[in-house]
Amino acid sequence: MSCGNPHDTDCREVLEKVYAYLDGELTEHDVADIRVHLDECSPCLKEYDLDKAVKQLVAKHCGCDPLPSDLRDKVLARIAQVRSELAD
């Protein structure tokens, strides 16, 4: 995905890291880069808001159930696959 505008951090890179950003798993430098990008790029901000809402919904309704340890990796792999297919 690209909004067509130049950014210091590419849209695709931001969207690949959005779940790690939401989970607080990034370095301070990466967090700062993503914040700047989201402030500049409304398509990425909309995607971030959607991902945040999905994460909150899942946490609200499934937060008590034990999850398989590899579920996160499977979900992220599937998201990457779909994004790749959409980019082609």
Side-chain angles (χ1 to χ4, degrees):
M1 172 184 187
S2 177
C3 66
N5 297 320
H7 300 284
D8 290 339
T9 306
D10 184 65
C11 293
R12 185 171 300 225
E13 183 181 342
V14 168
L15 295 177
E16 287 173 0
K17 294 180 178 180
V18 76
Y19 280 101
Y21 176 80
L22 286 169
D23 291 340
E25 298 175 348
L26 299 178
T27 66
E28 288 182 33
H29 181 266
D30 284 340
V31 168
D33 288 347
I34 290 175
R35 282 186 184 150
V36 167
H37 184 96
L38 293 175
D39 285 344
E40 298 173 346
C41 183
S42 76
C44 286
L45 181 59
K46 287 178 186 175
E47 181 74 22
Y48 163 77
D49 286 340
L50 175 62
D51 291 344
K52 183 178 178 183
V54 167
K55 185 170 178 62
Q56 289 172 340
L57 183 63
V58 169
K60 179 179 177 182
H61 293 284
C62 304
C64 299
D65 299 334
L67 300 174
S69 60
D70 64 337
L71 179 62
R72 183 176 189 274
D73 293 334
K74 287 180 182 179
V75 170
L76 291 175
R78 180 66 179 130
I79 290 169
Q81 179 186 1
V82 169
R83 284 189 177 142
S84 175
E85 290 169 1
L86 291 173
D88 293 336

